[in-house]
Amino acid sequence: MRIAVVGATGEVGRMMTRVLQERGVKPGGIDFYASARSAGATVEFHGEVHRVKELTRGAMEEGYDYLLFSAGGAVSREFAPTAAASGSVVIDNSSAFRMDPAVPLVVPEINGDLLRGYGSGVVANPNCSTIQMVLSLYRVHERFGLDTIVVSTYQAVSGAGRSGMDELGDQMEGRVAPRKFIKQIHLNVVPQIGALLDSGFTDEEMKMVDETRKILRDPGISIFPTAIRVPVMYGHSEAIYVRTRRPFDMDSLAVAIQDSEDVVLSSGMVTPLEVAGGDDVHVCRLRSFDDSSFLMWNVADNIRTGAATNAVRILQKHVELNRAG
Ligand SMILES: NC(=O)c1ccc[n+]([C@@H]2O[C@H](COP(=O)([O-])OP(=O)(O)OC[C@H]3O[C@@H](n4cnc5c(N)ncnc54)[C@H](OP(=O)(O)O)[C@@H]3O)[C@@H](O)[C@H]2O)c1
């Protein structure tokens, strides 16, 4: 098996490289790509040092089995179709292809079945906030039906990549002009992520609406998101209100959440600092006034659960369903 990591010097790319090693993925060959700026930089993988190469169209025709893309939507749009047409599976972290009806949008624990028989082409990795929300709610949907979700996200600056983290760091040292974020992020909270649309929602918020419906295969779920940037380095949090289609009791609701793969329900309090570096979604503060609506808090490492780990889980699930044995 041959793998390429595209965007290998970025936050998500470096984490994908790490997660591949942690999860014991040992390809016969691996290459690392970034822009010309980082060509020649080094990456260590399973004890071997590799040179980062400049991304070229020719590289997309080298016959990799899997390419893990995390270099932004424009790069994915320019290069991923060539790799897909050459017979590779492209696992793409950008939003470029997520809503393409021909492209599976996959959280393996929920809809990994879509990978069976998917010989080549693009597989889209969902938005970070969407992944942690659907992981904590998919069993609730199976058992009680999700009618309405009202969600406020509290998203870490690493969700905006290296430059987002640098901006918070710079502002902590007194250089305060906003560059990446529309307002100062240090000592502040910014209730807009992404571009504001005519509807008043942002494109980041609409990802949670459209992607949740696609992953859960239910266009009838009403979703009202507010995406908020907070001065946290790693770990997104979400305050979620849910109304269900069928009544529940609290014990059965807790069991549904506990039965969700890679989700941990806690009776105590969980914050982003505690989950950074982990792969589970943590749910706490589960509470309700009645038998058809509830509130909860959920937290996950956005770079791992929300991007790198999900991408590597897609790769491993694809291998299991199509290549094992
Ligand atoms: N951060 C998150 O929580 C998160 C979550 C889910 C999805 N994503 C998505 O993942 C992607 C990467 O995010 P990130 O946070 O890792 O960003 P990042 O830290 O800014 O890294 C960007 C990476 O892309 C490379 N790159 C940029 N322009 C390129 C070009 N023209 N050709 C080849 N490589 C190029 C960069 O290489 P150089 O070193 O050469 O600049 C770097 O390796 C984005 O699509 C983002 O939306 C991010």
Side-chain angles (χ1 to χ4, degrees):
M1 178 168 71
R2 291 181 66 229
I3 293 180
V5 180
V6 177
T9 53
E11 278 298 306
V12 175
R14 282 185 293 134
M15 189 57 79
M16 288 195 299
T17 304
R18 191 164 145 188
V19 174
L20 283 167
Q21 294 173 89
E22 287 173 6
R23 296 178 70 89
V25 178
K26 291 199 171 138
I30 188 163
D31 289 312
F32 298 92
Y33 294 97
S35 77
R37 288 182 294 275
S38 295
T42 55
V43 174
E44 202 176 311
F45 186 75
H46 285 309
E48 279 183 17
V49 175
H50 298 255
R51 292 254 169 229
V52 174
K53 302 176 184 177
E54 181 181 355
L55 185 63
T56 61
R57 195 167 295 276
M60 298 297 96
E61 293 165 337
E62 283 195 20
Y64 294 107
D65 298 289
Y66 296 96
L67 295 100
L68 297 162
F69 265 70
S70 65
V75 173
S76 294
R77 271 187 290 272
E78 186 177 347
F79 292 94
T82 309
S86 304
S88 303
V89 173
V90 176
I91 301 168
D92 183 31
N93 275 284
S94 83
S95 58
F97 303 102
R98 289 179 191 153
M99 295 315 297
D100 181 333
V103 170
L105 179 65
V106 176
V107 178
E109 297 88 332
I110 302 173
N111 62 351
D113 57 292
L114 296 176
L115 300 172
R116 190 184 298 280
Y118 193 77
S120 62
V122 177
V123 179
N125 208 35
N127 168 266
C128 41
S129 301
T130 306
I131 292 175
Q132 72 185 73
M133 185 171 81
V134 293
L135 270 174
S136 61
L137 288 177
Y138 75 99
R139 292 274 184 231
V140 176
H141 187 49
E142 282 170 13
R143 294 177 193 183
F144 307 109
L146 298 173
D147 179 86
T148 303
I149 302 170
V150 181
V151 54
S152 296
T153 69
Y154 300 77
Q155 296 181 219
V157 293
S158 57
R162 258 179 326 184
S163 56
M165 300 174 71
D166 289 347
E167 184 156 328
L168 175 56
D170 286 350
Q171 291 181 356
M172 287 166 72
E173 289 171 10
R175 298 187 291 277
V176 293
R179 298 185 302 262
K180 185 100 186 168
F181 306 120
I182 57 166
K183 301 268 187 179
Q184 177 181 318
I185 188 64
H186 177 46
L187 298 175
N188 206 4
V189 164
V190 182
Q192 182 188 324
I193 302 180
L196 213 44
L197 308 175
D198 289 345
S199 61
F201 288 89
T202 66
D203 57 356
E204 178 80 359
E205 289 162 350
M206 291 314 295
K207 289 174 192 170
M208 295 189 79
V209 175
D210 298 333
E211 295 179 20
T212 297
R213 290 171 173 164
K214 181 168 175 176
I215 296 161
L216 296 180
R217 300 181 244 221
D218 190 335
I221 306 170
S222 297
I223 303 160
F224 299 88
T226 305
I228 304 166
R229 188 73 70 191
V230 293
V232 166
M233 280 295 178
Y234 292 104
H236 288 356
S237 308
E238 299 177 336
I240 303 177
Y241 163 87
V242 174
R243 193 162 68 238
T244 60
R245 293 174 185 162
R246 296 180 291 282
F248 60 82
D249 62 71
M250 286 307 278
D251 286 345
S252 310
L253 181 66
V255 168
I257 293 170
Q258 276 159 346
D259 284 351
S260 308
E261 219 178 315
D262 299 317
V263 176
V264 177
L265 175 64
S266 305
S267 52
M269 169 85 68
V270 188
T271 66
L273 269 184
E274 290 131 20
V275 308
D279 287 325
D280 290 329
V281 178
H282 293 262
V283 175
C284 63
R285 301 220 53 215
L286 185 64
R287 60 208 192 276
S288 176
F289 290 121
D290 55 48
D291 66 358
S292 58
S293 59
F294 66 91
L295 283 156
M296 67 186 210
W297 178 253
N298 112 9
V299 195
D301 185 318
N302 53 300
I303 304 288
R304 295 182 66 102
T305 310
T309 302
N310 197 68
V312 176
R313 282 176 177 152
I314 289 173
L315 185 154
Q316 291 187 296
K317 189 77 183 173
H318 191 277
V319 170
E320 177 197 321
L321 293 178
N322 300 291
R323 293 170 190 259

